[in-house]
Amino acid sequence: MARALLPSVAWAAVLLTMAVPTAARPIDVDRWLVVESSSLTLLSDAEPEVAAATLERLEQFRAVFAQLAPALELRSPAPTQFYAFRDLEAYAPYVAGREGRGSHILGQFVMRPWGNTLTLTAGARAVGASAWAVVLHEYTHYLVTHNLPGAPLWLNEGLAEYYSSFEVDDGRAIVGQPLERHLDFLARDGAFDLAELLTTDQRTASAHDGGEVGRFYGLSWLLVHYLLSGDAERLDRTADYLARLLEGDDAEGAFEDAFGRSLASMEDELRDYLAAGDFAAASYRLDRLRVSPARVRRAPPELTWTRLGELEAQLGDLDAAADHAHRALGWRPDDADARALRAHVLDLQGRFDEADILWREALPGLERAKLHLWHGLHALSVVGGEGHAAASDAARRSLQAAVDRRSDYGQALVLLARAEMRPGGDAGRAVDAAARARALLPERFDVLVLGVEAHLHDALDGVVLGPPREADAETVADEQSALDRESAAVARADALLERQLVVRAVTVGELEVVARLRAAVERTRLLVEAQEAFVAGAYDDGLELLDLAVSAARSDAVRAALEAELLRLTDELAG
């Protein structure tokens, strides 16, 4: 039985060689259902009992994955919409790559920063288990990414393979069954190079040939199966290994230190494990899993067309998405969600002025967090001109509305932080939103960068270089208090940069970003120190520090602005 384990964004599909005709868009909207549980929502045109069973299966899978750690509360920092189509023909128009001939996609999981979609045919099991296996493989990637931060590629892929065997039988949920394709390959291949496995990342994996791919997936699955089928100590050591990786230890050293043995010794143990052939699956009684019951209701036609249109937009077919929004509005002309979908499509097409009209009509009726985020994106896209400040205010309001409706919405917090860093925003709120986003999206390098930038923005918020306008003691004390806060903000930016971001930058190959941020930290520190000198009356020191800040600027625009400020203060103090 698997025990506790504590600590690529892409779509996947199953392709079967079948003669499946291209289907038209659904017109029988009366058969569509909304199936809901406490954590999932499914849209389906299958029979009610089939749709409910599909949602129940997804809930059971989530509950089984949660057993990986007893205290694990699955985080989903973006809304996920699930779709179950009654058959292959109904599904055909709603898959990526549907222009292919002689084949059909049975299931997909598509991840985007603002939300995800999981689609499959409700009758996929009648065709074979492959649809569920690949969809659940990709869904496991999503769960691993957001709930086991720092998991290396081999662990992410190994867990995805391990859980892809999920099935329900005789009142029990079963995972970790032996996968013959991996057993066969490993038996033929015989290569157990753990050093290569542990150091493989997305960049090196993309260069693998067919044999190397088979070896990587097979060995990843075998090592994960070995770890999850072991005793408590084996899992605790895995947790220690992950912690060492997050601290910046190299992959091989972290593994050997955590498990207390050489890689060669572990390779021998894996060979013995493979030869023994005792790949016990983990089994869980369904009546002991926390699975909420499904509630089934008829979907209003406008909701069906809008949600399917959102799926089309997710897959990149903007013409189809616009058509769906039009059909939804034909059923209900004032439907806010359909107007929001049409406005979002216009935004994606770069037609912001047209989109703005629809957004103004839709906003009063919007409830869903994702739609408020879409409007926030629209408002952030409006730059320059008289509407710039108003657009920034509108973006902040909509993104805050998204966060109010879903406090764990990672991308909404990312965009809210950026909106608060615009003129007129609140620097403290930017720091708070960036920190919350970082906790929800620890795997994202850009969110770490955002955290550093938010602290630097906070450090310079409201700073006006030069001597205090009033020389009284109270004014000087207030200035010094503000400078203390600004110095602390620079220190927080520096700590986040050096303790977390540098480690990740090495992994993802973004050392230039580190250089840019180090220069920004140094420039900001010099500006704060320059203002401290001005407040203390040491004007020459202040000008010298400001001149150093000019030299530290990497951007031509920033350098020009600081040079202008230096010239202004030099003339002012000389006078």
Side-chain angles (χ1 to χ4, degrees):
M1 180 71 68
R3 192 184 160 277
L5 173 61
L6 301 176
S8 88
V9 180
W11 62 267
V14 186
L15 287 173
L16 296 184
T17 303
M18 306 176 68
V20 180
T22 301
R25 296 288 190 264
I27 56 175
D28 189 4
V29 293
D30 291 336
R31 68 177 297 146
W32 282 83
L33 307 167
V34 175
V35 189
E36 297 172 302
S37 66
S38 60
S39 56
L40 304 178
T41 300
L42 174 76
L43 190 71
S44 179
D45 64 343
E47 293 301 317
E49 62 274 12
V50 175
T54 301
L55 183 71
E56 183 180 47
R57 185 177 177 88
L58 291 167
E59 280 279 17
Q60 291 164 345
F61 179 80
R62 281 172 53 91
V64 167
F65 183 86
Q67 304 304 307
L68 193 59
L72 185 63
E73 294 184 9
L74 294 184
R75 297 185 305 182
S76 297
T80 300
Q81 177 68 54
F82 298 83
Y83 301 81
F85 295 84
R86 67 183 183 272
D87 55 34
L88 296 172
E89 286 193 42
Y91 188 24
Y94 295 98
V95 294
R98 56 175 172 259
E99 68 277 2
R101 299 189 179 201
S103 63
H104 198 93
I105 295 173
L106 298 177
Q108 293 181 312
F109 185 69
V110 183
M111 294 173 63
R112 298 287 185 265
W114 56 82
N116 315 294
T117 58
L118 187 153
T119 61
L120 73 162
T121 51
R125 200 170 186 185
V127 177
S130 53
W132 276 107
V134 173
V135 168
L136 293 181
H137 175 106
E138 294 303 318
Y139 190 37
T140 301
H141 279 318
Y142 175 74
L143 294 173
V144 170
T145 298
H146 293 301
N147 293 280
L148 296 175
L153 185 62
W154 72 264
L155 181 59
N156 202 324
E157 293 293 351
L159 285 169
E161 287 292 277
Y162 181 90
Y163 281 97
S164 71
S165 69
F166 171 85
E167 68 174 34
V168 174
D169 184 50
D170 195 24
R172 303 189 74 88
I174 304 166
V175 290
Q177 299 175 88
L179 299 181
E180 293 300 327
R181 64 182 181 278
H182 295 320
L183 294 176
D184 291 345
F185 183 90
L186 292 171
R188 295 193 311 271
D189 184 66
F192 283 66
D193 189 343
L194 281 185
E196 181 181 1
L197 180 78
L198 298 179
T199 55
T200 296
D201 56 22
Q202 290 288 359
R203 287 176 296 168
T204 54
S206 64
H208 281 171
D209 61 26
E212 291 171 323
V213 169
R215 184 179 308 117
F216 175 77
Y217 275 89
L219 195 52
S220 295
W221 169 82
L222 181 66
L223 181 53
V224 164
H225 204 291
Y226 167 84
L227 295 173
L228 295 186
S229 300
D231 56 18
E233 181 183 3
R234 199 177 290 173
L235 273 296
D236 290 340
R237 288 180 178 273
T238 305
D240 182 35
Y241 161 68
L242 290 179
R244 291 172 184 271
L245 289 180
L246 285 172
E247 291 171 1
D249 290 4
D250 71 274
E252 296 179 42
F255 193 92
E256 292 185 333
D257 290 343
F259 287 93
R261 69 189 72 182
S262 68
L263 295 187
S265 174
M266 179 63 81
E267 288 169 1
D268 289 340
E269 196 157 339
L270 285 175
R271 287 190 182 93
D272 292 342
Y273 187 67
L274 177 64
D278 183 19
F279 298 101
S283 176
Y284 305 89
R285 283 179 50 177
L286 294 178
D287 58 3
R288 293 186 179 179
L289 296 175
R290 290 183 294 177
V291 176
S292 60
R295 304 180 301 276
V296 182
R297 61 182 172 88
R298 288 291 173 187
E302 66 274 11
L303 183 146
T304 296
W305 282 111
T306 299
R307 297 297 174 89
L308 290 173
E310 291 175 14
L311 173 58
E312 292 283 25
Q314 189 91 332
L315 297 176
D317 191 336
L318 300 186
D319 289 339
D323 175 72
H324 281 54
H326 175 74
R327 290 172 183 267
L329 291 169
W331 284 93
R332 186 178 174 186
D334 63 345
D335 187 70
D337 286 18
R339 286 174 172 171
L341 171 60
R342 182 67 183 113
H344 179 60
V345 170
L346 290 169
D347 281 331
L348 293 175
Q349 294 170 332
R351 297 158 63 182
F352 300 118
D353 290 341
E354 295 172 70
D356 198 59
I357 297 171
L358 282 170
W359 278 121
R360 291 175 188 276
E361 295 174 347
L363 273 176
L366 295 185
E367 289 297 329
R368 294 161 57 208
K370 182 176 75 173
L371 303 186
H372 281 283
L373 180 144
W374 280 355
H375 178 254
L377 274 172
H378 165 79
L380 287 174
S381 299
V382 179
V383 294
E386 296 179 359
H388 179 67
S392 295
D393 288 342
R396 285 187 280 270
R397 286 194 300 271
S398 285
L399 294 167
Q400 185 61 59
V403 172
D404 289 344
R405 285 159 173 78
R406 188 185 174 102
S407 61
D408 62 349
Y409 201 167
Q411 185 65 9
L413 287 162
V414 168
L415 296 176
L416 179 59
R418 296 215 173 275
E420 293 290 2
M421 290 165 64
R422 281 190 166 197
D426 185 303
R429 290 179 184 170
V431 169
D432 176 68
R436 291 167 64 188
R438 201 163 64 249
L440 290 164
L441 302 167
E443 77 286 355
R444 279 181 50 180
F445 180 74
D446 67 305
V447 179
L448 278 175
V449 173
L450 174 65
V452 175
E453 292 174 339
H455 283 305
L456 294 179
H457 178 77
D458 187 34
L460 295 178
D461 185 49
V463 170
V464 178
L465 290 170
R469 297 304 177 189
E470 303 292 336
D472 58 276
E474 183 177 354
T475 300
V476 172
D478 288 345
E479 287 260 10
Q480 189 58 55
S481 177
L483 286 167
D484 291 342
R485 184 189 66 78
E486 291 154 8
S487 294
V490 174
R492 286 190 289 271
D494 191 45
L496 179 58
L497 170 61
E498 300 299 338
R499 296 175 189 173
Q500 295 186 42
L501 191 139
V502 170
V503 174
R504 293 291 306 283
V506 172
T507 302
V508 300
E510 291 286 359
L511 293 179
E512 175 58 30
V513 174
V514 172
R516 174 177 65 80
L517 289 175
R518 278 178 172 155
V521 169
E522 179 61 16
R523 183 181 71 249
T524 306
R525 180 184 290 112
L526 289 168
L527 290 173
V528 172
E529 290 176 356
Q531 184 56 18
E532 287 177 336
F534 290 135
V535 170
Y539 299 155
D540 289 343
D541 290 345
L543 291 173
E544 183 177 346
L545 288 163
L546 181 53
D547 187 44
L548 290 173
V550 172
S551 300
R554 290 166 61 95
S555 160
D556 292 340
V558 171
R559 185 181 303 108
L562 290 177
E563 286 175 341
E565 193 69 3
L566 177 60
L567 180 61
R568 178 186 70 80
L569 285 172
T570 300
D571 292 343
E572 179 181 316
L573 294 173

